[in-house]
Amino acid sequence: MSMLQILDSSGNNHPELEPNIPERKLVKMFEYMILVRLLDEKGMRLQRQGRISFSIPSTGQEATQIGAVAALNSEDWIFPAYREPGMAFYRGFPLVDLVNHWFINEKDPQKGRRLPGLFGSKKYRYVNPSAPIGTQIIQAAGAGFAYKYLKEKIVNIVFFGDGATSSSDFHSGLNFGAVFKTPTIFFCQNNHWAISVPLSKQTGAASLADKAKGYGLPGIQIDGNDILAVYHAVFEAAKRARAGEGPTFIEAVTYRAGPHTSSDDPTRYRPKKDLEKWLKLDPIKRFEKYLISKKFLKNGQTNKIRSSFDIEINTLIAKAEEYRPPALETLFSDVYSDLPWHLKEQLDEIASLQRRSI
Amino acid sequence: MMPELTLVESVRLALEEELDRNDKLIVLGEDVGPNGGVFRATQGLLEKYGPQRVLDTPLSENGIIGFAIGMALMGLKPVAEIQFVDFIYPGFDQLISEAAKFRYRSGGMFTSPLVIRSPYGGGVRGAHYHSQSPEAYFTHTPGLKVVIPSSPYETKGLLTSAMREQDPILFLEPKRLYRAFKEEVPSGDYTIPLGKARIAREGEDVTILAYGAMLHVALEAAELASKNQKIECEVIDLRTLVPLDIIAIENSVKKTGRMISITESPKTSGFSAELSAIVAERWIEYMEGPIMRVTGYDTPFPLSLEQEYLPSAKRTLDTIEKVYNF
Ligand SMILES: Cc1ncc(C[n+]2csc(CCOP(=O)(O)OP(=O)(O)O)c2C)c(N)n1
Ligand SMILES: [Mg+2]
């Protein structure tokens, strides 16, 4: 299978496929790539300092998330795994909500119930992610059925890793998607690792994109560090889906340049040479070269973008640390639409214990 | 005149009427289309509502439940059939980790209020893959509501309520009762609220808690106890296990001072253990005898000896006497 690439690793452009994206939008895409990387650094540092409990970087995978969200309409739904937070930011998800979520405080929209990094937003059509791998893939197919049934011109995209292609929900997702012809884009971020397990232990297939054929779907492989290739592929898949032609499977070949999460030490399993090779293919540097060559970006502008985000985030962090934990009631709310007697009783019990000195 | 329906016909009528009322409602599952379900619970629905609302799905339980969750997230009301509850386990993860958790994990932002209906239970010579009663796996999962009807009338009222709930529901249908008897079932809109039990027989001496097919074993045993020993049992049909009607249980056990429960699942960690614990924790001072359980045994579901395995009126009577004569 040949891999779609528009910007090669030195930032050179293959103009016959270059998508028609206005300058303002290209610069916005670049800014959000910078933001994602900056938030990764901040999240990891806060975790190392013991100020937040966990962090899930997506360093090296900025082009997939931002290229994809830029190619969709704002009504289209996103079913994330957990390594594409930039899609929510790009749509306007407030950084204040992110930072309060990191600190699982009383202002956290998810009421302090999730590990930092696992957030969703109904407003920005970014579904609350799971942790069990692969579960969102079949759910996205079901959601796709809903848009079709309701005659809405909406499509959805579901993200998952190379490891997730071994899950039963990957199989069901592609299978149901194909059978019901749902307007769903199955987007695999093949970052070569599932924690410490390499791709060669996930599949005997020559490429993940090849798998699509067995389900009766078009499958394409793209350079996932090339934001223009991502944009192009997602744009075309969304067009197909919107026209009622059903789902597409996209395998984006990329690389997880950081650890799996803040709990992981990749030096235990990852050959150093491997990482060095991939760092040369960095998606941000590549896009920066392209933008500079187009004169959409000036030398030194990257640092300015970075530092203005930096100031904003630091202010939010300082505030987030001051807030209290969520109220005790939130331990019991949202289990059900109402509060059944047994949960009321358990809330009363814990509340009365709080009043007891010892 | 009200039509007399079997339990499975009552399921079908509830689905049909709600399909009529709610155009967001979608029925899906294996063989629910032209075949009308292997038990005929969806007979005629495809013809009436079309293939966009009555979906034959691929043979995949995690697929059916995960697909239904996606529909529910986007505002549809999926009512999925799992052909036998014994086959729900491939979909366990979707039900437990996804449907049951969406509301909580998203701080109330996302919900997946689907209904899973599935035949459960023994007594039909189905052996261990067509007879199980796994309700305790699900009652152990915060975020799910578990409903088990005991008659045709009850079925329609409870299923209609379930299809209007804002939370994910597991609706277990006692397949042994699917065609066991008929009962008057009104057509048109009536519901039985979830979380409200029903006194199926009044009595002063021993409370029997039961649901689904075991309600009828309880009633049979209660008749025998009355006739043979003049022991008057109060039989409570729990209807919903989560949320449980604690008031109905309280009123009854305070009156009788004795309690047994009947479930056809294995004994260890079964729902009857929960019922015993609740009564012991709260009203032990009212109790005049041991709190006892009549259950299936701690084995896989058998075949040849299934009548020995299942709680019977005889075993229940034996337990009633133990509790009463303590
Ligand atoms: C069902 C399940 N099994 C195991 C895990 C633990 N786990 C978390 S992430 C992960 C690897 C996932 O790899 P991949 O799908 O390639 O995504 P990536 O992390 O590389 O983005 C594993 C094994 C899990 N979350 N869920
Ligand atoms: Mg991976």
Side-chain angles (χ1 to χ4, degrees):
Chain A
M1 173 151 317
S2 73
M3 187 165 82
L4 172 75
Q5 192 183 58
I6 298 174
L7 286 183
D8 69 20
S9 55
S10 46
N12 294 324
N13 183 12
H14 294 252
E16 66 285 0
L17 281 174
E18 191 182 358
N20 183 16
I21 308 175
E23 173 182 345
R24 267 234 322 268
K25 183 161 176 172
L26 286 166
V27 174
K28 177 179 175 185
M29 289 160 68
F30 183 71
E31 287 169 353
Y32 279 86
M33 291 174 91
I34 300 289
L35 174 64
V36 169
R37 180 132 335 160
L38 179 67
L39 286 168
D40 279 356
E41 290 166 19
K42 296 238 171 252
M44 286 298 285
R45 197 174 316 127
L46 288 169
Q47 195 280 337
R48 294 295 184 244
Q49 292 167 343
R51 291 157 76 190
I52 64 174
S53 65
F54 191 64
S55 181
I56 316 177
S58 57
T59 305
Q61 297 177 228
E62 294 87 353
T64 44
Q65 20 183 332
I66 302 298
V69 69
L72 296 170
N73 295 340
S74 58
E75 314 84 73
D76 295 335
W77 274 91
I78 298 163
F79 282 65
Y82 43 76
R83 233 181 270 287
E84 38 284 319
M87 300 181 82
F89 308 145
Y90 186 90
R91 285 186 167 180
F93 181 83
L95 292 179
V96 60
D97 286 353
L98 176 80
V99 172
N100 287 325
H101 152 70
W102 278 359
F103 284 88
I104 49 172
N105 63 31
E106 60 187 324
K107 304 274 183 190
D108 173 4
Q110 294 180 161
K111 306 179 189 168
R113 293 176 183 149
R114 303 302 303 281
L115 285 179
L118 300 177
F119 69 94
S121 164
K122 194 160 194 175
K123 184 169 173 199
Y124 297 101
R125 302 199 163 196
Y126 183 79
V127 174
N128 188 271
S130 191
I133 292 296
T135 51
Q136 74 279 16
I137 307 173
I138 176 68
Q139 292 167 9
F145 176 90
Y147 315 134
K148 216 170 125 172
Y149 177 77
L150 297 168
K151 300 199 164 52
E152 290 170 350
K153 280 282 164 216
I154 293 176
V155 307
N156 64 356
I157 190 164
V158 56
F159 275 70
F160 48 90
D162 44 300
T165 63
S166 302
S167 71
S168 49
D169 288 324
F170 168 83
H171 167 64
S172 317
L174 270 66
N175 197 36
F176 276 62
V179 167
F180 293 104
K181 271 195 143 188
T182 67
T184 305
I185 304 166
F186 296 102
F187 194 104
C188 178
Q189 296 218 54
N190 172 7
N191 65 4
H192 288 79
W193 296 97
I195 309 186
S196 68
V197 179
L199 182 63
S200 59
K201 297 245 165 68
Q202 297 296 345
T203 183
S207 86
L208 294 173
D210 279 345
K211 294 195 175 202
K213 190 160 196 262
Y215 295 101
L217 301 183
I220 56 167
Q221 194 182 53
I222 64 172
D223 180 345
N225 285 13
D226 168 3
I227 194 165
L228 297 186
V230 174
Y231 184 96
H232 176 81
V234 172
F235 189 84
E236 291 302 317
K239 204 159 77 183
R240 266 195 86 230
R242 249 183 272 280
E245 290 165 41
T248 303
F249 178 72
I250 299 173
E251 175 194 0
V253 180
T254 178
Y255 198 77
R256 195 195 76 210
H260 172 66
T261 65
S262 53
S263 313
D264 175 46
D265 172 12
T267 62
R268 294 168 60 85
Y269 55 83
R270 185 170 62 191
K272 222 173 150 197
K273 279 217 296 278
D274 232 40
L275 178 62
E276 283 161 4
K277 180 184 123 201
W278 278 94
L279 289 178
K280 293 200 188 93
L281 305 176
D282 184 75
I284 295 185
K285 283 199 200 110
R286 199 188 299 191
F287 193 38
E288 186 182 34
K289 274 187 202 152
Y290 168 80
L291 293 176
I292 288 173
S293 77
K294 290 251 167 190
K295 306 223 178 341
F296 295 163
L297 198 72
K298 294 192 216 57
N299 276 320
Q301 200 173 333
T302 303
N303 281 338
K304 275 196 206 129
I305 298 169
R306 217 184 120 91
S307 59
S308 93
F309 278 134
D310 196 32
I311 294 164
E312 182 186 352
I313 297 160
N314 288 345
T315 316
L316 295 172
I317 290 173
K319 275 205 199 124
E321 279 185 309
E322 299 297 310
Y323 292 126
R324 298 158 52 82
L328 203 54
E329 289 76 40
T330 65
L331 184 55
F332 299 98
S333 58
D334 304 319
V335 179
Y336 298 99
S337 53
D338 52 0
L339 196 66
W341 68 268
H342 62 290
L343 292 183
K344 273 191 205 120
E345 193 173 275
Q346 290 167 25
L347 173 60
D348 288 346
E349 179 187 309
I350 197 172
S352 74
L353 267 179
Q354 300 260 312
R355 289 191 290 272
R356 189 191 154 120
S357 52
I358 210 139
Chain B
M1 227 198 68
M2 263 185 237
E4 296 236 321
L5 300 182
T6 62
L7 195 150
V8 73
E9 287 165 345
S10 172
V11 169
R12 207 205 73 85
L13 184 61
L15 292 173
E16 179 176 0
E17 289 186 3
E18 202 64 9
L19 274 161
D20 241 15
R21 280 186 288 253
N22 179 358
D23 62 10
K24 301 257 169 78
L25 194 138
I26 308 281
V27 168
L28 69 157
E30 294 157 11
D31 304 292
V32 301
N35 195 34
V38 296
F39 289 103
R40 308 288 174 262
T42 57
Q43 184 157 299
L45 299 182
L46 171 71
E47 290 77 358
K48 187 159 176 200
Y49 296 98
Q52 286 300 308
R53 300 194 66 194
V54 181
L55 317 180
D56 263 340
T57 67
L59 201 169
S60 168
E61 283 68 20
N62 65 305
I64 292 168
I65 299 177
F67 199 74
I69 290 171
M71 290 179 177
L73 284 172
M74 296 298 138
L76 297 186
K77 182 54 130 185
V79 181
E81 174 172 308
I82 297 296
Q83 200 161 79
F84 287 83
V85 77
D86 314 64
F87 306 131
I88 201 169
Y89 306 113
F92 198 64
D93 186 45
Q94 284 289 346
L95 200 48
I96 301 300
S97 300
E98 301 295 315
K101 308 258 186 309
F102 248 113
R103 183 189 292 277
Y104 194 76
R105 82 185 196 201
S106 65
M109 233 182 285
F110 290 93
T111 59
S112 54
L114 74 174
V115 177
I116 309 283
R117 3 171 330 266
S118 191
Y120 86 98
V124 297
R125 302 201 146 259
H128 41 249
Y129 297 121
H130 301 84
S131 303
Q132 296 170 36
S133 295
E135 61 274 17
Y137 294 131
F138 302 97
T139 59
H140 196 59
T141 302
L144 291 182
K145 291 183 175 173
V146 180
V147 184
I148 308 185
S150 61
S151 80
Y153 176 87
E154 292 282 311
T155 295
K156 182 161 176 252
L158 289 167
L159 182 54
T160 304
S161 288
M163 291 188 287
R164 297 175 187 180
E165 276 279 314
Q166 298 306 306
D167 296 303
I169 310 273
L170 180 66
F171 191 87
L172 293 176
E173 299 164 2
K175 69 169 102 52
R176 175 186 183 176
L177 303 184
Y178 264 162
R179 293 174 218 290
F181 62 98
K182 288 191 175 191
E183 188 174 62
E184 285 192 347
V185 177
S187 54
D189 200 343
Y190 79 94
T191 56
I192 297 172
L194 305 192
K196 287 267 176 290
R198 159 181 84 102
I199 300 175
R201 181 190 196 279
E202 287 194 60
E204 303 293 317
D205 300 325
V206 179
T207 297
I208 308 180
L209 303 181
Y211 48 87
M214 290 301 108
L215 180 79
H216 301 278
V217 174
L219 288 171
E220 200 187 328
E223 283 312 309
L224 288 173
S226 172
K227 222 167 48 206
N228 299 352
Q229 280 100 334
K230 302 256 171 303
I231 304 172
E232 296 306 328
C233 295
E234 178 144 294
V235 178
I236 298 192
D237 180 0
L238 292 175
R239 292 174 164 160
T240 55
L241 309 192
V242 181
L244 189 65
D245 186 349
I246 195 74
I247 308 285
I249 299 174
E250 174 173 14
N251 290 341
S252 185
V253 299
K254 279 186 174 171
K255 177 171 74 176
T256 62
R258 299 177 188 89
M259 189 282 254
I260 69 177
S261 60
I262 317 185
T263 57
E264 57 183 294
S265 55
K267 186 167 197 172
T268 301
S269 304
F271 193 70
S272 54
E274 182 61 34
L275 294 171
S276 299
I278 286 176
V279 172
E281 239 172 26
R282 294 168 176 259
W283 306 299
I284 192 77
E285 71 273 25
Y286 291 88
M287 302 315 285
E288 293 169 32
I291 299 163
M292 292 193 76
R293 293 174 279 172
V294 185
T295 69
Y297 294 109
D298 288 328
T299 67
F301 201 96
L303 178 56
S304 189
L305 297 178
E306 85 170 320
Q307 289 309 327
E308 284 68 23
Y309 171 94
L310 283 168
S312 59
K314 187 164 105 182
R315 259 171 78 193
T316 307
L317 186 62
D318 201 56
T319 309
I320 293 169
E321 284 168 13
K322 278 190 188 127
V323 169
Y324 186 76
N325 298 324
F326 177 75

